[in-house]
Amino acid sequence: MIHRNLKYMALPFLLAGTAVFAQNPVIQTHFTPDPAPMVYKNKLYVYTGDDQPGFDFYTMTKWRVHSTEDMVNWTDHGVPISLESFRWARDRAWAAQCIERNGKFYWYICAQTVDNNMAIGVAVSDSPVGPFKDALGKPLVTTGTWDNIDPTVFIDDDGQAYLYWGNSRLFYAKLNKDMISYAGKITEIPQSVESFGGLRRPGRSDEVLQKQEKFEDVYVEGPWLYKRNNQYYMMYAGMTGKTECLSYATSVSPTGPWKYRGKIMTDQPTNSFTNHGGIIDFKGKSYLFYHTGLLPNGGSYGRSTAVEEFQYNPDGSIPKITMTKEGVKSVATLNPFQRNEAETMAWSEKCSTSENKKNGVYVSDTRMGGFVKVRAVDFGTNGASEFSASVAAGIDGGILEVHLDDPKGPKIASVDVPRTGGWEDFKTVSSKISEEISGVHDVYFVFQGKNITAGRVLFNFDYWSFKKK
Ligand code: FUB
């Protein structure tokens, strides 16, 4: 039933209440390990891998991109590259990082080659979300070993770009201006207690490291190079003894010598061995991206991106950062009076996302009682008069309800989703709004159906908007 003539204003207690909702992991529709953030124009992009449920190893085949303008609502840009994009790659689509130079985007990836070693490749695009194309048709770095994983890329103020990478051992090369070739030799960074907290000698497996009682730290993998106030930072996955942690070293030069500065994040739940992070500033705040196995059905091979805000200490050191469920606060509001993609979301349950050539990414696999939550939606002072959504259903369809501030909060709109003729045959449905809504709210798009068995897929949902009153 639609409640008429009720007023839904953003009350301070409502907003305070919604702030304690979980926000980490930031993406729930897919696993998103090895987050690599990049800021371009007004958006923060996060490039990740894709863990596949059901495997007991890092059996990964593709890479994903999401973006945000407000740090809480994330837009899914799908899968711009996969193993198929690199004809030399056959497995292990592992950690990667993307960077912009002169309007082109270079996405450095690592993957297993046909001769079963690991190599680093680079895909290039004119847009941060693709389409990307293998720039070389062959690896950029290949030395016939397993060392070549986890590339991190950084362009210094003088224009020199550096590519670092490595598992147990840490290497770098100076990239040429074309970003798809390097000059000179590959250099290995020496490791010691002073530089990375310890030395991981060849032959010391993770199991051996974990059993050691007196264990300080070592460089394991996942380097992340950046510069702040003339200091170079190298964050990396180090070791707590049971799981990886995130540790860092600093230097006055991008090529070292590096000085060990300690552990940043040590509370990795033991259901995931790895942690892998990236640090970035966005809209005046500093953020640490990392991954955990904390999504339902997650674990060591089902890892998801999470993010925490932090402040550097006055001397430039990084404080200890704790993993939280609440994550970060929004840094902007979302405008409901424009087309918003349904795959822009702060939290979702009982749904996934899919993509096709015509519609791009859309919300799919919606099931009864599931929802997409969008945070910090600003209805202004006059509110909305109509809600519209683009939906598709191959069989029965269902009902798309719009609730404020809680999945069971005030229902401000409800649209019937008819059988549209196909799962990708999208039609616009709308509903008038008689309630007076004002201010900033969290909005929940809740999936319902009539006479439909629980668990059945209801409909697909591509985009939505409100009309201003
Ligand atoms: O995701 C596969 C591998 O696990 C990455 O390359 C490592 O950094 C670790 O996170």
Side-chain angles (χ1 to χ4, degrees):
M1 188 176 97
I2 298 204
H3 305 274
R4 309 232 166 244
N5 302 320
L6 292 177
K7 286 194 178 197
Y8 298 119
M9 292 179 290
L11 300 173
F13 75 87
L14 269 181
L15 289 178
T18 55
V20 299
F21 261 74
Q23 177 78 32
N24 276 331
V26 297
I27 293 141
Q28 307 82 36
T29 44
H30 302 277
F31 290 118
T32 50
D34 304 325
M38 179 191 83
V39 171
Y40 181 66
K41 296 194 169 160
N42 196 33
K43 288 189 185 170
L44 188 152
Y45 295 83
V46 66
Y47 296 80
T48 70
D50 175 84
D51 280 346
Q52 296 184 71
F55 286 95
D56 58 0
F57 189 59
Y58 306 100
T59 309
M60 300 151 71
T61 61
K62 47 188 179 266
W63 292 271
R64 297 184 171 276
V65 189
H66 291 76
S67 72
T68 185
E69 288 179 47
D70 56 22
M71 287 307 292
V72 295
N73 297 305
W74 289 89
T75 302
D76 186 338
H77 298 285
V79 176
I81 49 172
S82 61
L83 290 173
E84 289 85 342
S85 317
F86 303 90
R87 66 187 156 95
W88 51 269
R90 62 171 297 266
D91 201 351
R92 296 178 195 166
W94 286 1
Q97 185 183 346
C98 186
I99 198 168
E100 183 265 345
R101 183 166 205 165
N102 300 330
K104 289 217 180 287
F105 297 83
Y106 300 90
W107 197 348
Y108 298 86
I109 59 98
C110 63
Q112 189 181 24
T113 53
V114 285
D115 61 358
N116 290 335
N117 288 303
M118 292 297 291
I120 293 170
V122 55
V124 65
S125 174
D126 294 328
S127 146
V129 297
F132 280 87
K133 196 173 175 303
D134 183 0
L136 296 166
K138 60 180 186 180
L140 168 65
V141 176
T142 176
T143 54
T145 69
W146 269 70
D147 295 335
N148 304 318
I149 72 164
D150 296 4
T152 180
V153 57
F154 161 74
I155 306 172
D156 209 347
D157 301 332
D158 62 2
Q160 178 62 59
Y162 298 86
L163 187 74
Y164 269 78
W165 69 92
N167 178 277
S168 302
R169 301 168 69 186
L170 183 60
F171 303 90
Y172 77 85
K174 287 185 174 180
L175 291 172
N176 292 322
K177 286 213 168 83
D178 65 8
M179 299 298 276
I180 58 169
S181 62
Y182 59 87
K185 281 200 198 124
I186 292 172
T187 305
E188 180 167 4
I189 295 283
Q191 293 184 43
S192 62
V193 173
E194 291 71 36
S195 59
F196 293 96
L199 172 63
R200 183 171 158 150
R201 287 182 293 276
R204 285 163 96 196
S205 65
D206 289 339
E207 292 69 34
V208 172
L209 286 170
Q210 285 167 54
K211 279 184 199 139
Q212 285 182 103
E213 274 172 21
K214 280 196 186 154
F215 193 76
E216 192 52 42
D217 208 344
V218 284
Y219 167 82
V220 182
E221 55 188 355
W224 182 262
L225 175 65
Y226 68 100
K227 184 180 188 180
R228 179 178 182 269
N229 294 343
N230 289 325
Q231 181 161 237
Y232 298 85
Y233 291 74
M234 178 70 73
M235 183 172 71
Y236 55 91
M239 268 292 222
T240 62
K242 285 202 174 101
T243 63
E244 288 183 350
C245 57
L246 294 176
S247 306
Y248 79 112
T250 56
S251 176
V252 292
S253 143
T255 55
W258 294 98
K259 184 174 168 8
Y260 180 62
R261 302 295 295 270
K263 295 178 177 178
I264 302 169
M265 177 172 264
T266 53
D267 51 347
Q268 174 77 343
T270 49
N271 81 334
S272 164
F273 173 73
T274 65
N275 196 349
H276 183 121
I279 284 183
I280 206 157
D281 282 2
F282 181 56
K283 298 194 173 172
K285 293 174 188 288
S286 300
Y287 296 100
L288 170 69
F289 284 77
Y290 60 98
H291 71 215
T292 69
L294 294 180
L295 207 61
N297 304 318
S300 268
Y301 311 115
R303 303 157 298 165
S304 301
T305 294
V307 58
E308 309 295 344
E309 187 188 333
F310 73 95
Q311 284 175 335
Y312 287 90
N313 294 317
D315 65 356
S317 57
I318 303 175
K320 291 258 179 298
I321 302 171
T322 307
M323 297 181 174
T324 70
K325 244 181 146 175
E326 293 75 28
V328 302
K329 294 201 180 83
S330 117
V331 294
T333 52
L334 189 138
N335 173 10
F337 306 116
Q338 62 184 11
R339 170 174 160 157
N340 285 289
E341 298 303 318
E343 67 273 15
T344 297
M345 54 179 87
W347 192 263
S348 66
E349 291 185 9
K350 295 190 184 170
C351 64
S352 186
T353 58
S354 301
E355 60 184 304
N356 67 24
K357 282 221 166 78
K358 187 166 165 230
N359 307 90
V361 179
Y362 54 87
V363 171
S364 61
D365 304 284
T366 61
R367 277 156 292 124
M368 198 101 82
F371 61 83
V372 160
K373 171 190 181 181
V374 184
R375 275 177 69 180
V377 180
D378 190 357
F379 288 95
T381 45
N382 292 337
S385 61
E386 193 175 306
F387 168 72
S388 304
S390 175
V391 288
I395 317 179
D396 295 323
I399 302 161
L400 179 61
E401 295 181 349
V402 187
H403 294 252
L404 291 189
D405 300 316
D406 187 277
K408 295 197 173 116
K411 182 159 68 175
I412 57 163
S414 177
V415 286
D416 283 339
V417 179
R419 184 172 180 144
T420 58
W423 292 107
E424 295 182 350
D425 196 353
F426 284 91
K427 302 247 164 7
T428 302
V429 287
S430 34
S431 153
K432 297 272 178 233
I433 295 178
S434 48
E435 291 76 9
E436 289 179 36
I437 313 161
S438 62
V440 178
H441 292 268
D442 289 349
V443 173
Y444 289 79
F445 301 102
V446 181
F447 316 128
Q448 301 291 8
K450 281 183 210 145
N451 304 323
I452 290 171
T453 320
R456 275 266 307 263
V457 173
L458 298 172
F459 50 84
N460 292 334
F461 178 23
D462 194 12
Y463 55 87
W464 59 271
S465 67
F466 286 90
K467 219 180 238 169
K468 251 187 195 163
K469 202 174 234 175

